[in-house]
Amino acid sequence: MTTEDHPFMNYRALFIGAIILAVLSLVMMALAVLFEIDKATAPQLLTLSALWIAPGIYTALQARDGRLLHGMVMGVLGALLVALLINQARSIFPTSGILQQLAGDKVVVVIILGGLWGAIGGIFAEIVHLRRVKKANKQRK
């Protein structure tokens, strides 16, 4: 395989981004369990999930093309991993109110939010890429 024949999807970036998203979520869940938070409102959860933009940006910047797609796929994969972590953590900490709240029918919302925030990260990465290209073109002239 030559350098011209690269695959469209950067699977390594997708995997690493999903792991970063899961670790970030695991840290937030651990803090919630540590501080014995029983319930979180929808705006609080939405605000915390907005941190998922960062792994989306990382993943999308690693891609040669299709940055939005890379961010969105990474977000969905990472959110699926988070959903698995929620179910596993719920069996370890059965008295945690926040984990009970996130489990069940909220898992679908978590997956959709993962795709949304990952796609927004992909858009930001596309903007960064275009600014870099514009700056490089200015320097060539």
Side-chain angles (χ1 to χ4, degrees):
M1 180 181 261
T2 64
T3 57
E4 309 324 271
D5 298 327
H6 63 278
F8 177 70
M9 296 296 285
N10 187 342
Y11 298 109
R12 176 179 282 163
L14 290 174
F15 179 72
I16 291 173
I19 295 295
I20 292 170
L21 189 145
V23 167
L24 185 64
S25 300
L26 186 62
V27 167
M28 289 189 290
M29 285 189 292
L31 287 173
V33 169
L34 181 69
F35 291 121
E36 298 176 358
I37 297 173
D38 286 334
K39 192 173 184 180
T41 63
Q44 289 171 334
L45 293 174
L46 188 62
T47 302
L48 285 173
S49 69
L51 293 173
W52 292 351
I53 292 174
I57 292 172
Y58 168 79
T59 301
L61 285 175
Q62 300 300 314
R64 291 181 183 231
D65 198 14
R67 288 171 188 81
L68 177 79
L69 178 65
H70 275 79
M72 184 172 53
V73 170
M74 180 283 312
V76 169
L77 292 175
L80 283 170
L81 192 56
V82 168
L84 292 173
L85 286 173
I86 289 171
N87 286 326
Q88 290 299 319
R90 196 174 85 180
S91 65
I92 296 171
F93 301 104
T95 60
S96 174
I98 190 76
L99 294 177
Q100 296 298 328
Q101 180 186 6
L102 291 174
D105 59 344
K106 302 278 195 269
V107 171
V108 175
V109 175
V110 168
I111 293 168
I112 291 170
L113 282 176
L116 169 76
W117 291 127
I120 291 173
I123 291 171
F124 287 159
E126 188 67 40
I127 292 169
V128 167
H129 173 72
L130 292 174
R131 290 184 57 104
R132 287 178 182 169
V133 168
K134 184 177 177 182
K135 186 176 180 181
N137 286 340
K138 274 187 180 181
Q139 289 179 352
R140 270 192 254 160
K141 289 183 181 183

